[in-house]
């Protein structure tokens, strides 16, 4: 971006969700509680996986990565949003806005690739169980996790660099809850067709490609499950994938609706609600989904709570 006064913007103003003070206070309390639950829930999942040796498997290695990504994504958006809900001047410095776009877009991209990696893990577990430990060895799991983090970060870096080179012509009011890429691009006072094409292409690469891999994995998984003769065997195989499949539906659905629309675009209100969904609701729900629908995690919780109760009883006596 040039240094001309007509194109240089030193700060942006986020318009947020509402200008009504009572609504803002209510939203502050609601989102603060949800953020605290998100941080606590995800860090408890990470701690549980670290402490219980039965959960030292590829599936829970990837779940640890997913929990880290969820907490990081929520933290890139919610704390600033909480401050702005109680602030009169909802300004974001240029550099802070660029940083927020980079991190939020990066965490989102990492999550989409990571969910495809987790689908492959479930495919091997259900369709090739006898060779699972051979195929999903530590080296492969590490490489797959690194691929998720690197691909999401590179995509985010490219978009951030391209977006913040656009001349804003003193347009600084972002009608959104955060520095979201589509909202920032709309501020440009030049033709942004090429930017929108780049967003579409990268969405296809980083969103639709992992989604298609997830679909292929689950087509194979469902086909294998239907061939299992015993009802108990089918239920066990299904429960192996149920938590991951629930998270996949939550995460991919809204993103595809937002970014893969060749002929139309979601309204500003829809964009805000979708951003809230990803920043507030999804990171909070993921640890609950994996806890409630997973027997291994529930068993680990019971074991940990039992040990804690035993230690407490000894200290009391």
């Amino acid at each position: 971006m040039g240094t001309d006064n007509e194109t240089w913007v030193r700060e942006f103003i986020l318009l947020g969700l509402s200008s009504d003070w009572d609504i803002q206070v209510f939203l502050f309390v609601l989102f603060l509680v949800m953020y605290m639950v998100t941080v606590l829930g995800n860090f408890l999942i990470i701690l549980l996986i670290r402490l219980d040796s039965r959960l030292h498997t590829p599936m829970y290695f990837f779940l640890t990565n997913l929990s880290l990504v969820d907490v990081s994504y929520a933290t890139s958006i919610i704390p600033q949003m909480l401050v702005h809900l109680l602030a009169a001047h909802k300004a974001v410095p240029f550099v802070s806005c660029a940083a927020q776009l980079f991190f939020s877009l990066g965490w989102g991209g990492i999550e989409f690739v990571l969910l495809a990696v987790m689908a492959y893990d479930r495919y091997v577990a259900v369709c090739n169980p006898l060779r699972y430990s051979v195929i999903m060895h530590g080296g492969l799991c590490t490489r797959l996790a690194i691929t998720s983090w690197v691909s999401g970060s590179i995509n985010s870096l490219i978009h951030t660099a391209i977006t913040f080179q656009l001349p804003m012509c003193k347009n600084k009011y972002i009608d959104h809850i955060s520095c979201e890429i589509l909202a920032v691009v709309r501020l440009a006072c030049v033709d942004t067709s090429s930017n929108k094409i780049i967003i579409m292409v990268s969405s296809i690469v980083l969103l639709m490609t992992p989604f298609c891999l997830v679909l292929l994995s689950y087509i194979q998984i469902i086909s294998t499950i239907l061939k299992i003769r015993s009802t108990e065997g089918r239920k066990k195989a299904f429960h192996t994938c149920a938590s991951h499949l629930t998270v996949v539906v939550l995460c991919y659905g809204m993103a595809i609706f937002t970014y893969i629309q060749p002929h139309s675009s979601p309204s500003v209100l829809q964009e805000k609600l979708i951003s809230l969904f990803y920043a507030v609701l999804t990171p909070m729900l993921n640890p609950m989904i994996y806890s409630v629908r997973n027997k291994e995690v529930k068993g680990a919780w019971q074991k940990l709570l039992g040990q804690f109760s035993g230690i407490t009883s000894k200290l009391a006596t």
Side-chain angles (χ1 to χ4, degrees):
M1 181 179 293
T3 57
D4 190 286
N5 289 332
E6 293 299 314
T7 60
W8 182 258
V9 176
R10 294 183 180 275
E11 66 177 17
F12 297 97
I13 307 295
L14 291 171
L15 298 183
L17 291 167
S18 172
S19 58
D20 184 275
W21 174 250
D22 292 334
I23 293 176
Q24 290 184 81
V25 172
F26 169 75
L27 291 176
F28 174 85
V29 175
L30 176 65
F31 294 152
L32 177 61
V33 171
M34 293 177 77
Y35 179 62
M36 292 171 66
V37 172
T38 296
V39 173
L40 180 63
N42 281 285
F43 276 122
L44 282 175
I45 285 285
I46 294 169
L47 180 64
L48 184 69
I49 292 170
R50 294 278 295 176
L51 293 177
D52 197 316
S53 58
R54 294 174 300 176
L55 301 182
H56 293 175
T57 64
M59 174 182 174
Y60 295 105
F61 167 73
F62 295 129
L63 179 56
T64 299
N65 278 264
L66 183 65
S67 292
L68 284 171
V69 169
D70 280 339
V71 169
S72 301
Y73 185 86
T75 302
S76 70
I77 294 176
I78 298 178
Q80 177 190 269
M81 184 172 66
L82 291 174
V83 171
H84 282 187
L85 282 169
L86 300 182
H89 187 55
K90 307 177 193 300
V92 183
F94 180 90
V95 174
S96 297
C97 190
Q100 185 180 60
L101 190 148
F102 170 75
F103 284 112
S104 60
L105 198 61
W107 299 128
I110 293 167
E111 180 157 5
F112 293 135
V113 180
L114 194 57
L115 287 172
V117 169
M118 295 174 77
Y120 175 71
D121 172 71
R122 294 300 82 206
Y123 159 75
V124 177
V126 173
C127 300
N128 208 343
L130 297 179
R131 299 190 64 236
Y132 178 74
S133 58
V134 176
I135 297 172
M136 299 302 295
H137 56 84
L140 178 63
C141 292
T142 302
R143 288 195 294 272
L144 289 172
I146 290 172
T147 299
S148 302
W149 287 75
V150 170
S151 58
S153 300
I154 291 174
N155 175 72
S156 179
L157 181 62
I158 292 170
H159 276 298
T160 304
I162 292 174
T163 300
F164 283 91
Q165 286 180 354
L166 291 170
M168 303 299 177
C169 300
K170 296 186 178 179
N171 295 330
K172 63 179 183 178
Y173 291 93
I174 301 177
D175 193 4
H176 211 277
I177 62 168
S178 67
C179 293
E180 197 269 343
I181 187 168
L182 294 176
V184 175
V185 167
R186 277 197 294 269
L187 298 184
C189 54
V190 294
D191 182 23
T192 58
S193 300
S194 59
N195 293 77
K196 291 176 182 177
I197 291 171
I198 292 170
I199 293 171
M200 174 72 72
V201 170
S202 74
S203 297
I204 291 170
V205 172
L206 207 65
L207 176 58
M208 291 308 297
T209 300
F211 179 66
C212 289
L213 292 174
V214 170
L215 282 181
L216 288 173
S217 296
Y218 273 100
I219 288 170
Q220 293 293 323
I221 289 169
I222 292 169
S223 175
T224 301
I225 290 175
L226 292 176
K227 291 175 184 176
I228 298 174
R229 294 185 178 181
S230 70
T231 305
E232 188 62 31
R234 284 198 297 270
K235 285 175 71 174
K236 185 178 179 181
F238 175 75
H239 280 298
T240 302
C241 307
S243 299
H244 176 257
L245 188 58
T246 305
V247 173
V248 163
V249 172
L250 285 173
C251 288
Y252 281 108
M254 289 290 189
I256 291 171
F257 175 78
T258 305
Y259 296 107
I260 310 295
Q261 298 193 67
H263 301 299
S264 62
S265 298
S267 69
V268 172
L269 178 59
Q270 285 175 327
E271 283 184 22
K272 291 180 183 181
L273 293 177
I274 290 167
S275 292
L276 279 174
F277 177 84
Y278 277 111
V280 180
L281 198 59
T282 301
M284 185 183 72
L285 289 178
N286 283 355
M288 296 180 185
I289 292 168
Y290 277 98
S291 296
V292 172
R293 300 181 65 92
N294 191 299
K295 291 181 180 179
E296 291 176 326
V297 173
K298 285 194 287 186
W301 277 125
Q302 290 169 358
K303 178 184 174 183
L304 185 64
L305 291 173
Q307 291 174 343
F308 180 75
S309 297
I311 293 171
T312 305
S313 299
K314 288 180 181 179
L315 291 172
T317 56

